[in-house]
Structure formats: structure tokens, C-alpha cells
Amino acid sequence: MQTLRLKGRGDFDEWRNAARPLLLAGVPPTEIDWRLEDEADDLSAFAVVPLPVPAVGEPPAARPPVSVPPAFIELAQSVICHSDPGRFALLYRLLWRIGRDRSLLQVVSDEDVILARRLDKAVRRDSHKMKAFVRFKEVPSAQTDGARRAFVAWFEPDHFIVARMAPFFKRRFFDMDWVIATPKGSATWNGEALTLTDAPAQKPDIEDGADDLWRIYYANIFNPARLKVKAMTAEMPKKYWKNLPEAALIPDLIANAEAKVRDMAEKAASQPPAFHARLQERMAQDAAEELRQEPAGSLEAMRAAARGCTLCPLHCQATQTVFGEGAQDAAAMIVGEQPGDQEDLAGRPFIGPAGKIFDGVLSDVGLPRARLYVTNAVKHFKYEPRGKRRIHQRPNQAEVEQCRFWLKQEVDLVQPKLLVAMGATAYFALTGEKDRLSDVRGKVIAMTEGRKLFVTVHPSYLLRIPDMDRKMHETALFKEDMRSVKQLMDH
């Protein structure tokens, strides 16, 4: 057994200079004990044998050829940067085996190949994090003419990647002097030479006004509506936070994300088109034309007729009638309250924030929306203008009763065996009753013509719950309700 001691600071040449003569001498991997110079254990128990060298006068042709594919060199240059002490033996074992099978790296099930790929991936990920999370802080420059500014950065990599990544920072920050200090070595650039050292550095104690800029930048790019904490911490692991000035904002940004999203939704501009009146007139003309073309008694004819509806005053402000949509032979009809702001502009039901929740739950329970007929108890958007915003207003009893004319015709034409009332307004529109929603929710109520009624909450209710735990609980209940709807449809 031969013991080799390496500094092991990510220097590929150091390992190659040790491995090459061993391979030439035919020393098998099992006969080599690779060790780090700074290992704490007592190496005196091991015999440190000089590297084998070819015999004097031995003709070069007699030596075994050393030829490896370029892919191995690239892989080895990455793996050697890993902090795993077993990387030297792993690479020599691969080198030894590649000499007998050049296609070894293509064997994806080989244990050595799998391990090497895993170490390579970890080094690449650490390198990516170094690119993303190095934060330079300005320090006084040694140059008195002010031609170049000087910066220092502190970073804590998992592996020995400083030398590997230094050329990247040289290219990107060529026009300034800098030092990147880490516990695993440092890199220095002065405009002329890139200097590397593998000596552990101490964290500098430097304050920089640019830290505030980082915090301002991060606060402005943070999008609470797209927050996924698990994904965020996977991309920005907490171990890096202590050296990132903007990381101090993260806990508050996460805690206030829900409220921020609500605030964004309330401030969103939601005005009908400026040509609202002309649009309504044009729609009325189109509806009349469609009505003449559609066969009497069809869903399309009823939709065209509803476009010119003036049964209640709500049509005066709404952009258009938002009629139901879906399969005419759907087994279940979903009935909501009324179209919202986005539905009013688009002319389709359940496409706004509540509709997205509805679609997500349907997807979770495996119920395609195409199997449903989706509509509302009231077909026009009722709102109160407030500046540039249109604030949702609940329809009153008279408006619901007026619009029941259209809802009844939808039910008569679709003939669903199951009606699903989402919210108290839909329940009243379908039954004329005003029971508390909590008293009838989740119950199957018999209707005329053998039809059944199932009552649940409107998905917009879930949007308004401020407490996250309660919101998750109510969402789970709503999901159970929709799972029950699916079972009632299938049986």
C-alpha cells in the first residue's frame, strides 16, 4: 500500500502529477491510500512511499499508453474541486478503468460514474451560487490617481472553487481591483495579474453604502404573487443569507406577501373600455343577428338573447352579459354569484383570480372543467366605481330574482343531474331559500326532476382569508367538496 499526501485545494495538476506515474507503473487503485496533508490523523502509521518512476533506459514504447477521453479531463477538473476526501481515489479508479474501457463514462449505471457525476453537480452548483451571491464592498484604493476603484468580497463556498471561478470574475469585473476572500482560498485582481492563494482568509469587517442599494433592488424585484418559499430557499439557501445584505428583508417579505398580494389586487386598474357605450350597441346588434341565425331553443340562441338583456339596471354599467359556458350535456352545472371584473371584460365566467383557484382545485381532484357547465346566478357585473377601480358589489335579492330567468333556462337546456351552488347567492338563486351556508354546505339536497343540489363556498371566499393556516384548512375543505362533486357525477 502506498500513501500519497496532497494539498487537495482544487488543483487538478497536483492530482494529475501524482496519478500519472502511478498509472504508468501499473499500480492498481487498491494499492494507493490518498490522503490530505492537513488531515488530523496520525500519518506516521502509514508508510509514505515515493512515487514510482519508469526504470532508467526503459524504452517509452514499453510503457502502457495513457490516453483518456476529453470528457474525463473535464469531469476530473470539476470533481477535484469537491471537498470530499475520497475524490482522489475515485478519480484514479476511474482513470484506471478507463484505460481498459474508454466508454466507461457513458455507463450511467456504474457506481463510480454516478458518484463522480454527483460530485461534479455539487461543484457546478456551488460555482453558480458564487456567481450569484458574491457581493463586493468598496474599500480605499491604493492608487492615488483614482483611475481604478478597489473592492473586497467575502464568500463561503462548500468546495475549493476559488481558482476555478476567478477567471469568470476577472472577465466580468476587469475594470476594477478586487479581492474575493473565502475560507478556502482567495483570488486577487489588480488590472494586470490574477493572483490565487489557497490559504484560508478571515472575513473582512466592511460596511458599504451599496448594501442599501442591494436591499432596495431586492425589495423592488420581489414579487409576492409568485412567492414559493420552498423554491426560493432552494435557489437562495439560508446558509448564504448571513453574507447577503438583502437577505435581512426576506423574513418580512415572506410574512407580508399575502397582504401585499391583496393590496396589489385592490389597486389594479379595472376600468371598462373607453368605448363602452359603442361596444354595448355593437354587441346588441351582433346578438340580434346571432339570434336570427341560431336554432330556436338552443343554448347558443339563449346566449345570443341574453346579450341584449335589460331585465335589471345592472346592464347599464356592465361591459357585457357574461353567460355560462361548457358542455350542453354536462352532468353537473356549477353556479357562482356573478361575473367579476376580469370576467366582465372578457365575457367569460370564472377566469379571474377565483376562477384560477377553481381550476387548480379541479385539477387536483382530477375533474376536467370540460365536463362541467359553469355559470353565475347573475349575468352582469355589479360594481361601484371608485377612481380607476371597480369595486365588487353583491347583487341584491331583486337582481338575483330577475336573472333567475336566464339561470332557469340554462338548467332546462343543459339538464344536469347535479347542481352545485357556490356561495349563498347561488344557493338562493337555485332554491329561493336563505339558509346559512354553514348549515347546508356539503349536503346533497334533492331537487325536482330527480336532480340533486350540492352546496359549497365560492372560491373567492378563499382569496379573502388573511390567516394562512385557516386559508389552507378552508382550501382543503373546498377540495373535499369538489371531490364529492366528482363522485356524485360519476355515480
Side-chain angles (χ1 to χ4, degrees):
M1 176 70 73
Q2 300 186 38
T3 299
L4 289 180
R5 287 185 291 184
L6 304 178
K7 294 174 68 176
R9 310 292 292 182
D11 187 345
F12 175 71
D13 289 339
E14 181 191 30
W15 172 83
R16 181 173 58 184
N17 292 338
R20 179 179 289 164
L22 292 168
L23 188 66
L24 288 172
V27 180
T30 54
E31 293 298 319
I32 307 171
D33 180 26
W34 298 88
R35 297 232 163 209
L36 293 170
E37 281 188 352
D38 55 357
E39 281 186 331
D41 57 347
D42 183 5
L43 294 180
S44 61
F46 298 87
V48 181
V49 179
L51 296 175
V53 295
V56 177
E58 180 185 2
R63 302 172 189 168
V66 179
S67 175
V68 295
F72 173 75
I73 301 297
E74 182 180 352
L75 178 67
Q77 287 175 334
S78 173
V79 171
I80 205 68
C81 296
H82 201 280
S83 55
D84 187 338
R87 62 193 183 278
F88 313 115
L90 170 66
L91 289 177
Y92 187 73
R93 202 160 55 244
L94 283 172
L95 180 64
W96 178 268
R97 296 177 61 195
I98 285 175
R100 290 152 179 78
D101 178 10
R102 284 182 59 85
S103 62
L104 175 63
L105 293 183
Q106 300 174 19
V107 183
V108 295
S109 59
D110 185 89
E111 290 185 1
D112 285 341
V113 175
I114 292 173
L115 178 56
R117 297 292 186 198
R118 184 165 61 79
L119 299 187
D120 170 53
K121 183 178 180 181
V123 170
R124 291 179 185 277
R125 177 177 171 80
D126 203 29
S127 301
H128 170 72
K129 298 305 179 190
M130 187 172 181
K131 288 180 182 178
F133 297 143
V134 160
R135 299 286 184 266
F136 285 107
K137 298 176 186 292
E138 188 164 12
V139 295
S141 174
Q143 297 185 6
T144 56
D145 58 3
R148 292 178 66 84
R149 298 166 66 189
F151 295 83
V152 172
W154 172 255
F155 185 68
E156 298 179 20
D158 291 332
H159 309 294
F160 300 99
I161 59 171
V162 175
R164 179 181 175 87
M165 297 307 302
F168 164 82
F169 288 98
K170 174 189 168 184
R171 291 192 299 272
R172 173 162 291 188
F173 303 105
F174 185 85
D175 60 344
M176 67 187 204
D177 297 342
W178 50 258
V179 175
I180 299 177
T182 87
K184 291 181 168 59
S186 302
T188 303
W189 169 249
N190 61 5
E192 296 180 354
L194 181 63
T195 305
L196 300 170
T197 173
D198 56 13
Q202 296 294 320
K203 181 179 180 179
D205 184 15
I206 303 173
E207 292 292 332
D208 192 308
D211 289 353
D212 289 336
L213 295 179
W214 275 110
R215 285 187 276 269
I216 293 171
Y217 169 73
Y218 191 79
N220 280 276
I221 65 168
F222 182 83
N223 186 349
R226 302 183 65 181
L227 173 63
K228 294 182 179 178
V229 176
K230 186 177 291 185
M232 187 199 72
T233 52
E235 183 61 29
M236 192 174 183
K238 289 186 177 180
K239 64 182 179 182
Y240 297 111
W241 289 16
K242 59 184 177 183
N243 296 317
L244 299 175
E246 67 272 29
L249 303 176
I250 293 176
D252 285 343
L253 289 174
I254 293 176
N256 298 322
E258 187 76 19
K260 187 73 174 177
V261 170
R262 288 198 304 274
D263 186 54
M264 290 167 61
E266 291 175 357
K267 290 182 178 178
S270 58
Q271 286 189 313
F275 47 89
H276 176 248
R278 283 184 292 148
L279 183 65
Q280 280 204 327
E281 182 180 353
R282 176 63 178 274
M283 285 182 173
Q285 295 172 359
D286 291 346
E289 181 62 27
E290 286 181 19
L291 190 57
R292 284 192 292 272
Q293 296 178 0
E294 297 296 345
S298 68
L299 199 58
E300 288 72 20
M302 187 168 51
R303 180 180 292 108
R307 292 174 67 176
C309 177
T310 58
L311 290 175
C312 75
L314 293 184
H315 76 279
C316 299
Q317 286 189 305
T319 303
Q320 56 191 307
T321 302
V322 181
F323 207 68
E325 65 178 23
Q328 187 160 343
D329 59 349
M333 177 181 287
I334 307 294
V335 183
E337 182 192 76
Q338 64 157 337
D341 179 80
Q342 295 186 31
E343 287 85 356
D344 171 73
L345 297 176
R348 295 185 55 208
F350 281 80
I351 62 163
K356 288 181 172 56
I357 290 180
F358 177 59
D359 288 342
V361 171
L362 289 182
S363 176
D364 289 345
V365 303
L367 177 57
R369 180 162 167 168
R371 292 185 60 192
L372 306 171
Y373 184 89
V374 181
T375 190
N376 284 298
V378 174
K379 311 302 184 191
H380 283 122
F381 178 37
K382 182 178 181 180
Y383 64 93
E384 175 185 311
R386 193 174 299 171
K388 293 183 177 180
R389 297 159 50 200
R390 301 191 297 176
I391 306 302
H392 168 274
Q393 299 291 303
R394 177 170 293 182
N396 58 37
Q397 180 173 330
E399 290 157 349
V400 174
E401 289 177 340
Q402 290 283 6
C403 222
R404 190 180 287 146
F405 169 79
W406 297 112
L407 180 61
K408 183 177 184 308
Q409 294 200 55
E410 285 179 298
V411 173
D412 290 343
L413 278 174
V414 177
Q415 289 292 319
K417 68 176 185 180
L418 177 66
L419 290 165
V420 180
M422 286 185 166
T425 300
Y427 175 69
F428 171 71
L430 290 167
T431 66
E433 303 293 337
K434 293 185 177 180
D435 298 322
R436 290 193 308 176
L437 199 63
S438 57
D439 293 339
V440 293
R441 180 181 182 178
K443 294 181 178 177
V444 180
I445 302 171
M447 304 281 284
T448 59
E449 302 178 12
R451 199 166 285 132
K452 296 177 181 176
L453 172 66
F454 186 88
V455 184
T456 183
V457 297
H458 195 283
S460 63
Y461 161 70
L462 304 176
L463 286 172
R464 297 192 296 269
I465 300 175
D467 181 75
M468 184 57 70
D469 291 339
R470 183 168 167 241
K471 183 178 189 131
M472 293 177 64
H473 174 70
E474 289 295 332
T475 301
L477 292 178
F478 182 66
K479 194 176 296 183
E480 281 303 311
D481 286 349
M482 296 315 297
R483 196 169 281 117
S484 298
V485 167
K486 182 172 183 287
Q487 292 175 350
L488 290 168
M489 290 174 61
D490 296 336
H491 296 90

